[in-house]
C-alpha cells in the first residue's frame, strides 16, 4: 500500500460538475440546487429529468413539449423485440438490458453524432425506450407477451402499464415516481464515472451508457437493492431480525443496503424513500408487507446501534419495489430507468469541455529486465 495512492479514488475530486451536489456534512443532496426531497414531494419525475438535463425546472409549456418528445420516442424496433425473445431467459435482466441498449445504439444511424443536440436527442431516446426494454424483459421472463407503450399515459403510469397491463392507484404511482426522482443522479458514483470515462475517449453515448449499466449491476453499487430483498427473505420474520444481524456482523458479512462511500451519517434520500416504503405497506395492508416493514426497522436499528452504519437508498427501495409487484431481478434495471437521466447529463457535461480521463498508477511489478531466450527459460 502506498501513501500516494488514493485507493478506490476515495476522497479524489476528479472534475467539476454543476449537476448535483452531495453534502454529507449536512446530509443533503441537491440536483441543480434543489433538495431531492423537495423535488420528490413537489414534482413528477418528468420534471426532474428535464431539470437534470436543462439546469432549470420546466414551465408548463416546456414540460408539455418535453413529454410529447418522450412519447414520440417510445417504441422498440421489431428487431429488438425479436432479439429480446431470443435472449437467455435465465440471464440477469441487467445483462439483457445492457445488450438491448447496445443493440439499439447500433440501430441508430446517428450514434456518432456527439453534437449537443445529437447527445440530447439520444439521451431522450434512451429515457423513452429503456422502460419498455425493462418491462418487455419482465413479461418475457414470466412467459407473457410484451405490451406496447400507451401515449396517453405519463412516464411512470406507462411503465406500470407495460409491465402489468394496468395502471395502479395514484398513490402507488407516486411512491414509484418518488423512487425515480431519488435514483436519478448522484454525482461521481461508479457507474456515472464509468460513463464519463468512456465518453472522455470521444466514444459514443450509447457505449457510455452500456458501460454504466455494467457498472451499476454490481451489488456494491445498484445491485444492492436486489440484495436487500434477498436478505429480507433470508431473515424470514421480524423475530429473527436482531439475531440475524448480530450474527452477520460477528461473522464480518457485508450487510447490503447499508453504508456509503460519501455519506457516513445517513443517506439524505433514505427518509423520503422510507416514507414511500411505509406508504406501500399501508396500501398493501397485508401481513407479508407488515413483516417486511418490521424486519427492516429492526435491521436498521440494530445496524446503527452496533456499528453506527446507516442504510442507503437501496434499503427502503428494494422492499418498496417488491410491494409494487416487481420481481427482485428487476430492481436494478428499474434504477437504470431513472439513472439514465444522470448518466447522460454527465456525458453531455463532460463532453462540453472534454479532457481524456487517464490517471496514473503506482507500479508494483518486476523491475525492468531482459527477455531471456526461450531455451533459457
Ligand atoms: N456491512 C458491514 N460493514 C460495513 C458495511 C456494510 N454494509 N459498509 C461498511 N462497513 C464497514 C466495513 O467493513 C469497514 O469496516 P472496517 O474498517 O472494520 O474494515 C468500514 O465499515 C468502512 O467500509 P468500507 O467498505 O471501507 O467503505 P467503502 O466506502 O469502501 O464502501 C460501500 C462503501 C457502499 C461499498 C459499503 O458500505 C458496502 O459494501 N455496502 C453494502 C453494499 C451497498 O449497500 N451498496 C449500495 C451503495 S449506495
Amino acid at each position: 500500500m502506498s501513501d500516494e495512492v488514493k485507493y478506490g479514488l476515495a476522497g479524489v475530486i476528479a472534475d467539476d460538475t454543476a449537476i448535483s451536489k452531495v453534502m454529507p456534512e449536512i446530509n443533503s443532496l441537491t440536483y441543480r440546487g434543489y433538495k431531492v426531497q423537495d423535488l420528490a414531494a413537489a414534482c413528477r419525475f418528468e420534471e426532474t429529468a428535464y431539470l437534470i438535463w436543462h439546469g432549470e425546472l420546466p414551465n408548463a409549456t416546456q414540460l408539455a413539449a418535453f413529454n410529447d418528445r418522450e412519447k414520440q420516442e417510445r417504441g422498440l424496433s421489431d428487431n429488438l423485440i425479436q432479439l429480446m425473445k431470443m435472449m437467455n431467459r435465465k440471464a440477469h435482466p441487467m445483462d439483457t438490458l445492457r445488450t438491448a441498449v447496445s443493440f439499439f445504439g447500433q440501430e441508430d444511424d446517428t450514434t456518432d453524432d456527439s453534437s449537443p443536440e445529437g447527445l440530447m436527442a439520444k439521451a431522450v431516446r434512451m429515457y423513452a425506450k429503456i422502460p419498455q426494454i425493462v418491462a418487455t424483459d419482465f413479461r418475457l421472463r414470466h412467459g407473457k407477451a410484451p405490451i406496447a407503450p400507451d401515449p396517453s399515459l405519463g412516464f411512470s403510469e406507462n411503465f406500470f402499464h407495460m409491465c402489468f397491463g394496468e395502471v395502479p392507484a395514484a398513490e402507488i404511482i407516486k411512491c414509484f415516481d418518488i423512487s425515480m426522482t431519488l435514483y436519478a443522479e448522484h454525482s461521481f458514483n461508479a457507474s456515472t464515472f464509468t460513463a464519463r470515462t468512456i465518453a472522455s475517449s470521444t466514444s459514443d453515448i450509447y457505449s457510455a451508457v452500456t458501460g454504466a449499466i455494467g457498472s451499476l449491476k454490481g451489488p456494491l453499487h445498484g445491485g444492492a437493492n436486489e440484495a436487500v430483498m434477498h436478505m429480507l427473505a433470508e431473515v424470514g420474520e421480524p423475530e429473527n431480525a436482531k439475531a440475524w444481524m448480530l450474527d452477520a456482523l460477528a461473522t464480518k458479512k457485508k450487510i447490503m443496503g447499508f453504508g456509503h462511500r460519501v455519506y457516513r451519517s445517513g443517506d439524505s434520500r433514505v427518509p423520503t424513500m422510507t416514507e414511500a416504503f411505509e406508504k406501500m405497506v399501508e396500501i398493501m395492508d397485508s401481513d407479508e408487507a407488515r413483516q417486511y416493514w418490521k424486519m427492516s426497522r429492526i435491521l436498521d436499528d440494530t445496524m446503527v446501534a452496533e456499528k453506527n452504519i446507516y442504510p442507503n437508498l437501496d434499503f427502503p427501495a428494494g422492499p418498496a419495489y417488491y410491494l409494487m409487484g416487481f420481481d427482485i431481478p428487476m430492481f436494478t434495471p428499474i434504477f437504470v430507468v431513472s439513472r439514465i437521466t444522470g448518466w447522460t447529463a454527465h456525458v453531455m457535461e463532460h463532453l462540453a469541455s472534454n479532457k481524456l480521463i487517464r490517471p496514473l498508477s503506482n507500479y508494483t511489478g518486476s523491475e525492468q529486465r531482459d527477455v531471456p531466450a526461450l531455451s533459457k527459460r
Side-chain angles (χ1 to χ4, degrees), residues 10 186 218-225 228 248-249 252-262 264 267 269 303 307 309-310 312-315 335:
H186 211 200
L220 294 190
H221 191 8
N225 59 9
V228 166
L249 292 176
K252 300 249 172 258
K253 274 195 196 141
K254 267 272 161 89
I255 318 296
M256 294 296 138
F258 285 88
H260 199 274
R261 171 59 65 76
V262 184
R264 293 299 185 183
D267 177 331
R269 303 162 297 176
M303 184 67 160
K307 298 279 284 185
I309 296 177
Y310 290 82
N312 56 55
L313 176 57
D314 295 317
F315 188 67
F335 189 157

Side-chain angles (χ1 to χ4, degrees), residues 61 63 82 102 111 117 161 173 183-184 187 200 207 210 257 262 265 267 269 295 297 299 304 309 323 358 362 369:
T61 314
L63 182 62
Q82 270 312 109
S102 179
T111 288
E117 305 72 36
H161 156 76
I173 292 289
Y183 265 135
S187 76
S200 83
S207 296
T210 303
V262 184
S265 59
D267 177 331
R269 303 162 297 176
M295 272 191 272
R297 293 301 83 224
L299 293 171
V304 173
I309 296 177
L323 295 180
R358 204 300 186 193
N362 175 43
R369 49 190 170 156

